[in-house]
Amino acid sequence: MAGIGRLSARSSVLLLCDMQEKFRPTIFHFTNVVSNAARLLQACRILAIPPILTEQYPKGLGPTVPELGAEGLKTHTKTRFSMLTDTVEEELKSLGNPKQAILCGIEAQACIACTAYDLLERGMEVHIVADAVSARRSRSCWPILLQTPGSWPSSARCRTACTTQQDAALSVSAARCHSMQMSPGFYCEP
């Protein structure tokens, strides 16, 4: 089985999971998680990496927080832990079935873990963004992050990576900008 590869703008999708208003007071480091996910969303927009946004039961948990910067994104409503609802599956298919997922959001031990397992079962590489993932208690984050990649089921080993928002953004931009002229300030010119 091939190992996990470097992120590629052409074969990636950004998954933004349930960063909603009612979670604000209860999620450990919520502001930092949303800020890091927002920076990654900005980078993905620049690099034309498609984002997919979910909200868990928005009638009860409220909308996505505005500081994520997700205005204009189609919102996929869900009432289960995994992000892979029928409508998300349809969107992945319409995107050409990306091979790599960049996964951000809450909660680590529930929605992020279930989504990661479902993505792995689909045959995708999963890049969990550690500084853009959280839960109600900090210790709830560590099992999903520390499992990576050693304790995943054998079929999932070597297809899961733990990364940071900066690492993910630089990884996909480096691949795209490799043959382009770099301007001062480390920006890729189109």
Side-chain angles (χ1 to χ4, degrees):
M1 175 183 298
I4 195 156
R6 178 178 291 149
L7 282 169
S8 164
R10 288 188 203 128
S11 61
S12 295
V13 63
L14 174 64
L15 299 176
L16 302 163
C17 185
D18 307 348
M19 288 177 264
Q20 294 164 257
E21 202 58 56
K22 289 275 177 132
F23 288 122
R24 186 185 301 275
T26 60
I27 297 296
F28 183 72
H29 289 303
F30 183 84
T31 302
N32 292 341
V33 167
V34 172
S35 176
N36 288 330
R39 280 194 292 276
L40 195 51
L41 175 57
Q42 289 173 345
C44 286
R45 282 180 166 152
I46 291 166
L47 297 167
I49 296 171
I52 295 178
L53 174 73
T54 60
E55 289 179 347
Q56 179 76 21
Y57 186 62
K59 190 188 292 184
L61 296 172
T64 298
V65 294
E67 60 267 35
L68 181 59
E71 300 81 15
L73 292 184
K74 177 180 178 181
T75 302
H76 298 272
T77 300
K78 64 188 191 70
T79 54
R80 63 183 190 199
F81 289 141
S82 177
M83 289 180 74
L84 292 181
T85 63
D86 290 342
T87 62
V88 169
E89 289 275 7
E90 289 169 18
E91 188 163 350
L92 289 170
K93 195 174 197 178
S94 76
L95 294 171
N97 291 312
K99 302 292 181 229
Q100 299 174 313
I102 305 166
L103 182 55
C104 304
I106 54 177
E107 285 191 59
Q109 80 288 357
C111 298
I112 298 299
C114 289
T115 301
Y117 284 122
D118 284 351
L119 292 166
L120 290 166
E121 285 177 3
R122 256 182 139 253
M124 294 178 73
E125 289 179 13
V126 181
H127 297 256
I128 299 172
V129 185
D131 56 355
V133 169
S134 192
R136 292 170 204 256
R137 292 182 205 96
S138 65
R139 68 178 178 265
S140 296
C141 300
W142 294 114
I144 186 69
L145 299 176
L146 293 176
Q147 287 187 57
T148 312
S151 343
W152 288 94
S154 60
S155 63
R157 285 194 193 125
C158 300
R159 289 190 295 128
T160 309
C162 188
T163 189
T164 64
Q165 67 81 22
Q166 185 177 32
D167 215 20
L170 289 174
S171 198
V172 290
S173 64
R176 180 162 182 237
C177 297
H178 181 69
S179 63
M180 296 179 171
Q181 176 75 28
M182 298 300 287
S183 64
F186 194 66
Y187 294 103
C188 177
E189 294 178 2

